């Protein structure tokens, strides 16, 4: 017998990905941090920042974190997921922040929300004793 209480609830969403350099700044603050803080202030559902290990952009120069490399300009991706309406309402703020350049992608996606089961543990069985 299947317990349907744990079935995920899906809803359409839009994923916003902003690619910037680790050393990019906005008024003495890392640009990626400014994007995350503005996304929070705008009431978006969530934002995460991921530091790249290696990558290249418009200049075609490869940046890497390998031990022998002196590069500190690693790629950083900021990912925000929310409804299409809310993400698109945030774009003017990004336009301001990225006036000096940057890459933004928008991808339709589906958000799955997993509801917790009564009794606690994600596996459905209360393991607290």
């Amino acid at each position: 017998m299947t317990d349907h209480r744990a079935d995920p609830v899906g809803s359409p969403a839009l994923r916003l990905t902003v690619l910037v350099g680790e050393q990019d700044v906005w008024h003495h603050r890392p640009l990626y941090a400014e994007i995350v803080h503005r996304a929070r202030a705008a009431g978006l559902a969530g934002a995460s920042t991921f530091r790249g290990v290696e990558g290249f952009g418009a200049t075609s120069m490869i940046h890497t974190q390998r031990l022998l490399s002196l590069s500190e300009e690693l790629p950083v991706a900021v990912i925000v997921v929310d409804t299409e309406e809310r993400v698109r309402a945030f774009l003017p703020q990004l336009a301001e922040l990225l006036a000096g350049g940057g890459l933004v992608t928008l991808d339709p996606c589906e958000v799955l929300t997993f509801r917790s089961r009564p009794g606690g543990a994600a596996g459905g069985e209360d393991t607290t004793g």
Side-chain angles (χ1 to χ4, degrees):
M1 187 164 130
T2 304
D3 181 359
H4 292 285
R5 290 179 297 177
D7 288 349
V9 176
S11 61
L14 193 63
R15 179 179 50 233
L16 164 77
T17 304
V18 184
L19 300 170
V20 296
E22 186 176 30
Q23 300 297 318
D24 293 344
V25 295
W26 174 263
H27 296 273
H28 309 291
R29 178 185 220 174
L31 181 57
Y32 59 84
E34 183 67 21
I35 294 167
V36 169
H37 286 263
R38 286 197 185 195
R40 183 173 185 259
L44 293 170
S48 296
T49 302
F50 300 92
R51 182 175 187 235
V53 174
E54 187 168 58
F56 71 92
T59 65
S60 294
M61 189 166 109
I62 293 187
H63 302 281
T64 182
Q65 85 170 24
R66 281 187 248 153
L67 197 54
L68 298 177
S69 173
L70 299 177
S71 175
E72 293 180 5
E73 181 61 6
L74 294 169
V76 174
V78 180
I79 299 176
V80 176
V81 177
D82 206 323
T83 64
E84 181 172 357
E85 179 183 355
R86 293 178 77 178
V87 168
R88 290 194 182 277
F90 184 65
L91 292 178
Q93 289 197 56
L94 273 184
E96 176 189 2
L97 294 172
L98 299 176
L103 177 69
V104 176
T105 62
L106 295 171
D107 302 292
C109 62
E110 182 178 5
V111 172
L112 300 178
T113 304
F114 291 85
R115 306 282 183 216
S116 62
R117 294 179 179 172
E125 180 176 294
D126 187 355
T127 59
T128 58

